[in-house]
C-alpha cells in the first residue's frame, strides 16, 4: 500500500496561511484591532503606530476588557463571543465575528495584550510570539484592553518584502482609521504616528466628525441627505458638484456602521449627479445606510468590505432619488420654477386706471447756435459752451477765459487714429506657414520624404515632461510671482503628502509661503502654469501619487514631472496659431526622446510619398 501523501497541517502553519487572507499589510491589523475596541463598547480609542505599522501597531481602549480565561482563549482559531450558530451569520450587529483575526495576527507577529474588567481588581498581561505563549501574568492595569502588535511578518520575510514604502503603508493605515472613526462619531479617536499626533477626534456628530477629519473647508461642501423607508434608512452627506475632483478619495458607504465598497451603489450616485459634473469628475459622499441585518450577507469577502444585498435594484432606485431630491432641495440641481411672483401683479385698484405721462417742458425759443461760433477742436471749446442757468451774473465766472486760451488754440494735436494692426505690413514679414492643424488635434508638417502627422497633446506632454524633469533634477526652475498669494485647502492626509513633495514641487517653480494644518499658501508658480490651473494640477498630482509613491527620489520626481505634464499639456480641441504650431514642432524635436510621450505612446507618425502613391494607386 502506497504511503499517504495528504497530511494535516500543523496549527501554526494553518494560522500563517489564514493570516495571508486576514492580514495583508499593517492596515489590516489596524482595522481588526479598532473594530474589536468598538465591539468592546469603548468610548475612547487610541491608535499608536511606528514606521507605518511595520514596527508597532498598538490600540488602547477603555472598553469592557476580558477576564483571564477569555484573554487566553481569544487567540485560538475561531474563538468568538459574537456568534453561537451558523444562522447568527445572517443577523450580525458587531464587527469581528469569525474569530480569525487575533489568531492570525499572533501567528505572524509579537503580540502583547493587557486587559482588565471594571469589576476586577487585577488584570492579565499576555505575551505571544508566532502563536507561542511566552508569558501570562497578573498585573495592575486600568480598565479596558491594550493590544501591541510588534514586528509584523517577522517569521515570514517574503511577505515583509512585499510591503510598500512607509508613506504608502501609512496611507492605508490612515484609510482604515478614518473609516472606523467616521462610522462611530460618538467614540473619541486619537492617532499617533512616530510620536506625532496626526488626529485627535473628540466625540461628536457625523457632520463634525467628517469636518474634523477632512478639514474645516469641508463643511461648506456638504449637502445633507435623508430618506427613511421600510427597506432602508439613508442619512449622511453628498458634496456639491462644484467641489467635485478628479480623484475618488472622499467617497464612503457605511452599511450598519460598517465601511463597504459597492460599484453598484456608486453607479446610483453618479446617475443622480447626471448633468451636474464635468466629464471625469467624481463627487464626494459620506452615506450611512441602515438595513435589517438579515437582508445582507457580510461574510462574502475576507476583509468584509464587500457585502451582498437581498434587493439591490430597489436600493439603487431609493438611493438615486434621495440624492436627486437633496441636490434639488438645496438649489444645487437646475430646476424649472413655474410659480408666479405676486409682486409683479397689477394691484386691483389700478386695474382700469390710465397711465399718467410725465410732463416735459421744452423751451421752443432756445437756439444753441444763435450766439456761438461753430465748435472747433481746441481746448477753448470747453470754455465757450453756453448754458442757461439760474445763478445771477454767471457770466463773470468766464471773464478773460478767451484771452487765456488763445495760445492753446494754435497747438496741433497728434493724430490717434486706430489702424487696426499692431505692426505695419512692411514692418513684419511672415513667411508662409509650413505646418497645418487638423481637427484641432493633429499638426501636419512637410518633410523631404513626405509628411509628419503629430499628436499635439502627446507632443506637448513630452516637451513639458523633459522641461519639468530637468528643472527638478538641476534645481533651476523659474517662477512667476503672484500679485496676491493663493490659498488652497486640502485634507490632512493630502497636506501630509504635499509637505513630502514640497522640495520637488519647488524645483518645478512653485513658491510656498506657508503650510498650515489644512491649507497651503502659494506665492509663485511655474512659468507654464495659469493661476486657475493650480488647484486642478495639485489635485491630479495628489490623486496620481496617493497610493503608489515610489521610494526612490528619482522615481518620485519622474512621477511628478509626468503628472504635471499631463495636466498642463494642450488638449484636443485647442486651436494653435501658426507660430505656436511651429514652436511645438521645434520643441518636440529638440527633446531627447521625441518619438514617444512620457506614457510611451507615439507622438507622431510619418507618411512617405510612397505611402501616398500606394493609396492613390488603389
Amino acid at each position: 500500500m502506497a504511503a499517504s501523501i495528504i497530511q494535516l497541517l500543523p496549527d501554526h502553519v494553518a494560522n500563517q496561511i489564514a493570516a495571508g487572507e486576514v492580514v495583508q499589510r499593517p492596515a489590516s491589523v489596524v482595522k481588526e484591532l479598532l473594530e474589536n475596541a468598538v465591539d468592546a463598547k469603548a468610548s475612547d480609542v487610541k491608535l499608536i503606530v511606528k514606521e507605518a505599522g511595520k514596527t508597532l501597531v498598538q490600540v488602547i481602549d477603555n472598553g469592557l476588557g476580558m477576564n483571564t480565561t477569555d484573554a487566553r482563549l481569544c487567540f485560538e482559531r475561531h474563538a468568538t463571543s459574537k456568534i453561537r450558530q451558523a444562522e447568527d451569520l445572517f443577523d450580525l450587529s458587531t464587527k469581528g465575528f469569525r474569530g480569525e483575526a487575533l489568531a492570525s495576527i499572533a501567528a505572524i507577529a509579537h503580540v502583547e495584550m493587557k486587559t482588565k474588567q471594571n469589576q476586577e481588581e487585577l488584570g492579565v498581561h499576555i505575551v505571544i510570539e508566532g502563536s507561542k505563549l511566552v508569558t501570562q501574568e497578573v498585573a495592575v492595569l486600568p480598565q479596558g484592553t491594550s493590544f501591541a502588535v510588534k514586528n509584523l511578518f517577522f517569521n515570514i520575510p517574503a511577505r515583509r518584502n512585499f510591503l510598500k514604502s512607509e508613506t504608502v503603508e501609512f496611507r492605508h493605515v490612515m484609510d482604515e482609521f478614518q473609516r472606523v472613526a467616521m462610522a462611530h462619531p460618538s467614540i473619541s479617536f486619537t492617532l499617533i504616528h512616530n510620536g506625532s499626533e496626526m488626529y485627535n477626534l473628540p466625540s461628536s456628530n457625523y457632520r463634525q466628525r467628517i469636518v474634523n477629519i477632512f478639514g474645516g473647508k469641508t463643511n461648506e461642501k456638504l449637502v445633507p441627505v435623508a430618506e427613511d423607508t421600510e427597506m432602508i434608512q439613508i442619512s449622511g452627506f453628498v458634496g456639491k458638484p462644484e467641489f467635485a475632483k478628479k480623484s475618488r478619495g472622499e467617497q464612503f458607504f457605511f452599511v450598519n456602521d460598517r465601511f463597504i465598497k459597492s460599484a453598484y451603489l456608486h453607479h446610483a450616485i453618479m446617475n443622480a449627479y447626471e448633468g451636474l459634473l464635468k466629464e471625469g469628475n467624481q463627487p464626494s459622499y459620506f452615506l450611512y445606510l441602515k438595513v435589517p441585518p438579515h437582508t445582507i450577507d457580510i461574510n462574502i469577502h475576507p476583509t468584509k468590505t464587500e457585502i451582498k444585498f437581498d434587493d439591490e435594484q430597489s436600493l439603487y432606485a431609493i438611493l438615486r432619488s434621495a440624492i436627486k431630491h437633496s441636490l434639488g432641495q438645496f438649489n444645487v440641481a437646475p430646476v424649472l420654477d413655474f410659480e408666479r411672483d405676486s409682486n409683479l401683479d397689477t394691484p386691483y385698484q389700478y386695474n382700469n386706471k390710465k397711465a399718467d405721462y410725465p410732463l416735459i417742458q421744452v423751451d421752443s425759443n432756445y437756439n444753441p447756435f444763435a450766439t456761438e461760433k461753430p465748435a472747433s477742436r481746441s481746448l477753448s471749446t470747453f470754455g465757450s459752451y453756453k448754458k442757461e442757468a439760474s445763478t445771477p451774473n454767471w457770466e463773470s465766472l468766464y471773464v478773460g477765459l478767451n484771452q487765456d486760451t488763445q495760445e492753446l488754440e494754435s497747438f496741433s494735436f497728434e493724430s490717434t487714429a486706430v489702424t487696426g494692426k499692431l505692426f505695419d505690413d512692411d514692418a513684419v514679414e511672415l513667411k508662409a506657414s509650413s505646418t497645418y492643424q487638423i481637427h484641432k488635434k493633429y499638426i501636419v508638417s512637410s518633410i523631404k520624404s513626405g509628411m509628419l502627422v503629430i499628436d499635439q497633446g502627446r507632443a506637448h506632454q513630452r516637451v513639458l515632461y523633459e522641461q519639468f524633469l530637468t528643472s527638478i533634477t538641476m534645481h533651476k526652475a523659474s517662477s512667476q510671482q503672484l500679485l496676491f498669494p493663493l490659498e488652497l485647502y486640502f485634507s490632512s492626509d493630502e497636506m501630509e503628502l504635499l509637505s513630502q513633495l514640497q522640495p520637488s514641487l519647488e524645483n518645478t517653480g512653485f513658491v510656498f509661503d506657508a503650510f498650515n494644518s489644512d491649507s497651503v499658501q502659494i506665492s509663485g508658480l511655474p512659468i507654464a502654469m495659469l493661476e486657475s490651473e493650480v488647484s486642478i494640477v495639485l489635485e491630479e498630482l495628489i490623486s496620481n501619487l496617493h497610493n503608489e509613491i515610489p521610494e526612490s527620489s528619482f522615481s518620485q520626481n519622474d512621477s511628478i514631472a509626468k503628472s504635471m505634464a499631463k495636466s498642463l499639456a494642450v488638449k484636443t480641441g485647442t486651436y494653435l496659431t501658426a507660430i505656436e504650431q511651429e514652436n511645438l514642432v521645434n520643441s518636440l524635436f529638440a527633446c531627447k526622446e521625441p518619438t514617444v510621450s512620457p506614457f510611451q505612446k507615439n507622438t507622431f507618425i510619418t507618411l512617405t510619398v510612397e505611402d501616398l502613391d500606394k493609396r492613390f494607386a488603389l
Side-chain angles (χ1 to χ4, degrees):
M1 185 176 177
S4 298
I5 59 174
I6 296 178
Q7 299 177 357
L8 287 174
L9 287 173
D11 281 348
H12 71 279
V13 177
N15 283 343
Q16 288 183 2
I17 294 171
E21 288 189 5
V22 179
V23 184
Q24 299 171 352
R25 56 190 352 139
S28 308
V29 177
V30 170
K31 176 180 184 291
E32 298 292 348
L33 296 184
L34 288 177
E35 289 182 349
N36 283 347
V38 172
D39 283 342
K41 297 180 171 55
S43 61
D44 183 74
V45 179
K46 182 180 289 187
L47 171 63
I48 301 171
V49 180
K50 288 184 179 177
E51 294 182 15
K54 298 175 187 177
T55 305
L56 171 69
V57 174
Q58 185 174 10
V59 173
I60 305 169
D61 68 66
N62 62 348
L64 298 175
M66 290 179 279
N67 60 29
T68 304
T69 306
D70 288 345
R72 181 66 189 87
L73 198 58
C74 72
F75 290 102
E76 298 297 326
R77 289 192 72 193
H78 306 305
T80 178
S81 63
K82 314 297 171 56
I83 60 174
R84 291 287 181 266
Q85 52 193 4
E87 287 74 15
D88 293 344
L89 285 172
F90 300 98
D91 194 14
L92 289 166
S93 58
T94 56
K95 308 289 185 191
F97 52 85
R98 291 183 303 208
E100 291 177 337
L102 294 180
S104 300
I105 294 169
I108 54 172
H110 298 158
V111 179
E112 184 177 356
M113 184 186 72
K114 300 175 182 177
T115 183
K116 184 182 93 71
Q117 293 180 318
N118 187 31
Q119 65 272 20
E120 300 290 335
E121 290 186 5
L122 297 172
V124 60
H125 179 196
I126 293 178
V127 177
I128 295 179
E129 296 180 359
S131 294
K132 296 179 182 178
L133 180 66
V134 178
T135 61
Q136 177 177 336
E137 55 192 16
V138 177
V140 178
L141 301 168
Q143 180 194 342
T145 305
S146 167
F147 270 100
V149 179
K150 304 173 184 176
N151 305 321
L152 198 64
F153 300 126
F154 79 99
N155 52 356
I156 315 180
R159 287 295 299 273
R160 193 175 180 90
N161 292 337
F162 274 101
L163 294 178
K164 305 289 185 182
S165 65
E166 184 174 324
T167 309
V168 175
E169 293 301 336
F170 183 62
R171 170 66 202 160
H172 288 285
V173 169
M174 278 214 294
D175 282 344
E176 297 295 348
F177 176 82
Q178 289 175 358
R179 292 165 183 174
V180 177
M182 274 194 288
H184 303 277
S186 60
I187 302 174
S188 60
F189 287 89
T190 306
L191 170 58
I192 297 173
H193 182 228
N194 290 341
S196 60
E197 187 176 84
M198 306 298 297
Y199 287 105
N200 190 346
L201 308 173
S203 175
S204 58
N205 58 30
Y206 285 120
R207 187 171 196 134
Q208 290 169 338
R209 177 56 54 91
I210 293 168
V211 170
N212 286 337
I213 291 176
F214 293 102
K217 272 289 185 184
T218 310
N219 191 37
E220 66 187 56
K221 305 177 185 178
L222 302 178
V223 174
V225 178
E227 188 69 43
D228 195 353
T229 67
E230 293 181 359
M231 184 180 297
I232 186 172
Q233 181 182 346
I234 302 172
S235 60
F237 306 91
V238 293
K240 296 177 182 176
E242 61 264 31
F243 295 106
K245 297 181 179 180
K246 293 282 186 183
S247 61
R248 294 181 58 170
E250 298 174 6
Q251 296 181 342
F252 297 90
F253 278 119
F254 298 93
V255 176
N256 295 356
D257 292 336
R258 183 191 299 275
F259 172 80
I260 65 140
K261 297 175 181 176
S262 173
Y264 189 70
L265 295 183
H266 173 76
H267 190 272
I269 293 178
M270 296 303 294
N271 204 324
Y273 274 91
E274 189 177 4
L276 297 175
L277 298 174
K278 294 179 182 177
E279 187 177 354
N281 279 12
Q282 294 282 338
S284 56
Y285 54 79
F286 312 87
L287 294 171
Y288 300 85
L289 315 181
K290 297 279 187 185
V291 297
H294 64 272
T295 64
I296 56 173
D297 183 2
I298 56 181
N299 201 28
I300 65 170
H301 194 274
T303 60
K304 296 169 283 189
T305 54
E306 296 178 14
I307 66 175
K308 189 176 185 302
F309 295 94
D310 274 359
D311 190 357
E312 281 191 327
Q313 290 183 337
S314 298
L315 295 182
Y316 183 101
I318 294 170
L319 184 62
R320 181 183 61 181
S321 62
I323 293 173
K324 273 197 170 185
H325 176 72
S326 292
L327 293 175
Q329 187 178 4
F330 287 86
N331 294 325
V332 174
V335 293
L336 292 174
D337 186 8
F338 293 105
E339 292 185 4
R340 187 180 70 237
D341 189 350
S342 58
N343 293 326
L344 300 178
D345 291 345
T346 304
Y348 180 76
Q349 59 269 30
Y350 289 96
N351 197 20
N352 298 317
K353 197 172 181 180
K354 293 183 179 180
D356 293 332
Y357 293 98
L359 297 176
I360 301 175
Q361 295 181 352
V362 180
D363 184 2
S364 58
N365 297 321
Y366 176 68
N367 183 0
F369 304 103
T371 57
E372 274 188 18
K373 61 183 178 181
S376 60
R377 293 185 63 184
S378 68
L379 292 181
S380 61
T381 305
F382 300 101
S384 58
Y385 180 77
K386 182 177 180 181
K387 179 182 177 183
E388 186 176 352
S390 58
T391 308
N393 302 322
W394 63 271
E395 295 89 343
S396 61
L397 294 173
Y398 300 98
V399 172
L401 183 62
N402 287 336
Q403 290 82 355
D404 293 336
T405 57
Q406 286 301 320
E407 298 177 7
L408 293 173
E409 290 187 9
S410 62
F411 281 89
S412 61
F413 293 91
E414 185 179 349
S415 172
T416 56
V418 178
T419 63
K421 296 182 181 179
L422 190 59
F423 302 104
D424 294 334
D425 290 336
D426 55 349
V428 177
E429 244 180 70
L430 287 175
K431 62 179 180 178
S433 175
S434 60
T435 60
Y436 304 92
Q437 189 180 27
I438 300 177
H439 292 295
K440 297 181 181 178
K441 183 177 183 180
Y442 299 109
I443 297 173
V444 179
S445 180
S446 61
I447 54 175
K448 284 185 179 180
S449 60
M451 65 180 180
L452 293 176
V453 181
I454 301 169
D455 186 308
Q456 66 184 34
R458 294 180 185 177
H460 199 207
Q461 284 179 9
R462 165 53 64 178
V463 172
L464 291 177
Y465 166 72
E466 293 199 3
Q467 287 177 358
F468 284 131
L469 198 58
T470 303
S471 297
I472 294 174
T473 53
M474 301 295 291
H475 306 285
K476 291 181 180 178
S478 300
S479 297
Q480 49 177 332
Q481 294 299 308
L482 296 174
L483 187 60
F484 301 104
L486 188 64
E487 191 166 20
L488 301 176
Y489 291 86
F490 297 95
S491 61
S492 53
D493 51 315
E494 291 173 337
M495 287 299 303
E496 178 76 14
L497 185 55
L498 276 178
S499 63
Q500 294 175 18
L501 300 177
Q502 182 182 356
S504 298
L505 289 174
E506 286 177 341
N507 289 334
T508 65
F510 280 97
V511 178
F512 296 99
D513 280 354
F515 269 83
N516 303 318
S517 59
D518 63 346
S519 66
V520 61
Q521 208 170 57
I522 302 171
S523 62
L525 304 177
I527 296 295
M529 191 178 296
L530 299 175
E531 189 172 344
S532 58
E533 297 173 331
V534 180
S535 61
I536 299 172
V537 170
L538 290 182
E539 283 173 10
E540 289 187 356
L541 176 63
I542 290 170
S543 174
N544 293 339
L545 299 179
H546 232 173
N547 295 322
E548 297 298 329
I549 302 177
E551 294 192 41
S552 67
S553 60
F554 174 77
S555 300
Q556 181 174 307
N557 293 340
D558 186 68
S559 298
I560 292 172
K562 281 182 180 177
S563 180
M564 291 182 63
K566 184 179 179 182
S567 301
L568 295 174
V570 293
K571 306 294 187 290
T572 298
T574 304
Y575 171 74
L576 299 179
T577 64
I579 296 176
E580 289 172 337
Q581 294 170 33
E582 289 195 21
N583 285 342
L584 181 56
V585 173
N586 294 336
S587 300
L588 174 65
F589 289 101
C591 291
K592 295 178 181 177
E593 292 286 343
T595 55
V596 291
S597 74
F599 304 96
Q600 303 306 309
K601 294 182 179 179
N602 290 334
T603 56
F604 64 86
I605 59 171
T606 305
L607 288 175
T608 63
V609 176
E610 288 78 9
D611 293 334
L612 295 173
D613 290 341
K614 289 177 184 177
R615 297 301 299 270
F616 281 105
L618 295 175

